[in-house]
Amino acid sequence: MKKLLTKTEKTVRDRLSGLLTGKMFEKKDDDIYQASQWQMIWMNFRKHKLAIVSMWMIFVIYFIGIFCEILSPYDPHKYDSEKLRMPPQLIRFISKEGIHLRPFVYGFKKERDPYTLKELYTVEKEQIFPIHFFIRGDEYKFWGLFKTDIHFFNVNIKNEEYMHLLGTDDMGRDQLSRIIYGTRISTSIGFFGVFLSFLFGVIIGGFSGYFGGITDTLIQRVIEIIRSIPQLPLWMGLSAAIPANWPPLWVYFSITIILSFLGWTALARNVRSKFLSLREEDFVMAAKLSGASEFRIIMKHMVPSFFSHIIAQLTLSIPQMILAETSLSFLGIGLRAPVISWGVLLKEAQNIRSVAISPWLLFPGVAVVITVLVFNFLGDGLRDAADPYGFRGKR
């Protein structure tokens, strides 16, 4: 007991000594005061645990979109009339034979209700289909460049085995494969749409705040006109103007441009307000005296000074783009089949009867909700980390 008290007294004495001499915080203060802007943002951002988890989830989502051909077990356009509206199969490790080291799924026995003619599927525990990794299956072109048939996981389809972890749709197509393929289209539209909005918002808003006068007045009136029109009817009108006979690639880029054309106004106003406060700063005057052009002053000196805030706002804008594409495709005026996106897949769930019979058709909506939430959490974390007045360093 005496030794414990002696050790405690020594610890308290050392801490008081460090507090009086300032050595306790010397290294931590150096980390803060000598850090760059981006280092300070990272120091504050990594405290936001939910944002960190969301960031890794976004990496996983975009990884799925990039390698969707390999990760999907089947060709998303392949249909099977014998497996219409098949319910999801569960991955299992235990059967009546014992524990299996390799995961497997049970087969289904198909019957038909004699009164309603509805397909009925019952689990057939005698049929065990082991799941293999990097197995050969349906042939595809990876990114349209080269042909291969390697899939990350599946059962041996050559032995008439099947695996539909999220069930099948009304045409017998694998729902999991279609959701994985839809990840590429839906997330890339959000990414490219925000990139174009960034260009429009920074350039137009920058010129508006930097020059002021009649230029600022005209740009602000245009922004007010665009923002005064309800977004959904405007999206519907512009999307309906796309010719129905256009190829899917043209429709994809048209939808991206439409969403970007309507999404730059909020960013432009924020950039304008920042420029109004920055254009009288000393570093702007120094750049003018050194002979820098107006465009260089805007893009090389003024924009980088609040670039972290722009990134935070763009991160919050991506889910809005994804929801806009999903809404337009769901209404039938956005992307159309054979293009696969989450909105196109949800369009198949418009029929209440189909949803009542096959509730797993709503799984694309779950993917949309998860993606929007993780982007919002990441955006909140970046916004808090980029706020210089909200930085709480280790003191």
Side-chain angles (χ1 to χ4, degrees):
M1 188 69 179
K2 186 177 182 180
K3 291 183 179 180
L4 181 61
L5 290 174
T6 305
K7 186 176 180 181
T8 304
E9 291 174 357
K10 184 179 179 181
T11 303
V12 173
R13 191 185 310 113
D14 292 341
R15 291 188 177 182
L16 289 174
S17 175
L19 181 62
L20 294 175
T21 59
K23 292 182 179 180
M24 179 182 295
F25 305 112
E26 183 177 354
K27 184 177 182 303
K28 297 179 181 179
D29 288 345
D30 287 344
D31 292 341
I32 295 174
Y33 296 129
Q34 296 178 7
S36 65
Q37 179 186 7
W38 292 104
Q39 289 174 335
M40 293 181 66
I41 290 175
W42 171 247
M43 292 168 64
N44 204 15
F45 175 74
R46 64 185 181 184
K47 299 178 185 177
H48 203 301
K49 303 302 182 184
L50 188 57
I52 293 291
V53 173
S54 300
M55 180 182 67
W56 285 110
M57 291 185 65
I58 289 172
F59 286 152
V60 172
I61 291 171
Y62 275 95
F63 180 84
I64 292 173
I66 293 172
F67 298 98
C68 62
E69 295 95 346
I70 299 175
L71 297 176
S72 61
Y74 293 98
D75 181 351
H77 301 288
K78 179 181 178 181
Y79 62 90
D80 190 347
S81 59
E82 296 297 324
K83 299 180 180 63
L84 306 180
R85 294 179 290 275
M86 176 181 286
Q89 294 170 284
L90 297 178
I91 298 178
R92 305 172 187 268
F93 288 90
I94 301 176
S95 68
K96 63 181 181 180
E97 299 175 358
I99 299 176
H100 296 251
L101 296 179
R102 182 181 295 276
F104 68 92
V105 294
Y106 284 130
F108 279 119
K109 181 180 179 182
K110 181 180 178 181
E111 299 175 346
R112 188 174 292 275
D113 192 313
Y115 300 101
T116 62
L117 301 181
K118 174 185 175 182
E119 295 91 349
L120 300 177
Y121 292 92
T122 56
V123 176
E124 188 67 34
K125 294 188 177 181
E126 301 297 329
Q127 295 181 341
I128 297 178
F129 302 148
I131 298 175
H132 302 272
F133 294 93
F134 298 103
I135 186 174
R136 297 188 178 276
D138 298 329
E139 192 176 76
Y140 59 87
K141 269 192 173 183
F142 181 70
W143 277 92
L145 300 177
F146 55 89
K147 288 185 178 181
T148 183
D149 59 355
I150 300 297
H151 295 262
F152 177 62
F153 70 103
N154 203 348
V155 295
N156 193 347
I157 61 177
K158 296 181 179 179
N159 294 340
E160 297 184 353
E161 298 177 357
Y162 51 87
M163 179 192 69
H164 303 289
L165 299 182
L166 297 183
T168 61
D169 60 8
D170 294 340
M171 299 180 65
R173 296 171 295 191
D174 182 58
Q175 190 75 350
L176 175 61
S177 300
R178 292 176 65 78
I179 292 176
I180 291 176
Y181 266 80
T183 304
R184 173 180 293 178
I185 298 295
S186 295
T187 56
S188 62
I189 277 187
F191 182 79
F192 289 115
V194 165
F195 176 74
L196 293 177
S197 297
F198 167 77
L199 292 180
F200 295 152
V202 170
I203 294 175
I204 298 175
F207 278 93
S208 176
Y210 181 79
F211 290 104
I214 187 65
T215 303
D216 181 36
T217 302
L218 291 176
I219 292 176
Q220 293 308 306
R221 298 297 82 77
V222 172
I223 291 177
E224 290 173 1
I225 292 173
I226 294 176
R227 294 178 65 87
S228 65
I229 304 174
Q231 283 192 344
L232 188 57
L234 186 57
W235 284 338
M236 294 174 63
L238 294 175
S239 300
I242 300 176
N245 57 351
W246 274 16
L249 186 62
W250 290 18
V251 175
Y252 170 82
F253 283 108
S254 300
I255 295 296
T256 304
I257 293 173
I258 288 173
L259 297 178
S260 305
F261 176 74
L262 302 176
W264 61 271
T265 55
L267 179 61
R269 281 196 162 181
N270 289 336
V271 171
R272 171 185 175 268
S273 63
K274 291 290 184 180
F275 272 46
L276 288 174
S277 61
L278 290 175
R279 65 181 182 180
E280 305 298 334
E281 295 290 336
D282 293 339
F283 70 91
V284 176
M285 183 60 67
K288 290 181 180 179
L289 294 176
S290 64
S293 63
E294 308 290 352
F295 186 80
R296 181 177 178 82
I297 293 174
I298 292 175
M299 302 305 296
K300 294 292 185 180
H301 298 281
M302 301 180 73
V303 171
S305 64
F306 60 96
F307 195 67
S308 57
H309 297 272
I310 295 177
I311 292 178
Q313 184 169 356
L314 290 179
T315 306
L316 292 171
S317 300
I318 291 178
Q320 297 178 7
M321 294 284 183
I322 295 175
L323 287 174
E325 180 277 324
T326 304
S327 302
L328 292 176
S329 300
F330 177 76
L331 295 173
I333 55 178
L335 298 175
R336 310 179 185 93
V339 177
I340 302 175
S341 72
W342 292 337
V344 173
L345 296 180
L346 285 174
K347 188 176 184 301
E348 301 174 1
Q350 283 182 339
N351 191 343
I352 298 179
R353 183 181 301 175
S354 298
V355 174
I357 297 175
S358 310
W360 50 89
L361 294 179
L362 293 176
F363 279 131
V366 177
V368 174
V369 171
I370 292 175
T371 304
V372 170
L373 286 178
V374 296
F375 267 111
N376 283 331
F377 292 147
L378 176 63
D380 289 339
L382 288 174
R383 182 177 56 194
D384 296 341
D387 183 8
Y389 299 103
F391 181 76
R392 298 178 178 89
K394 296 180 180 180
R395 300 179 181 175

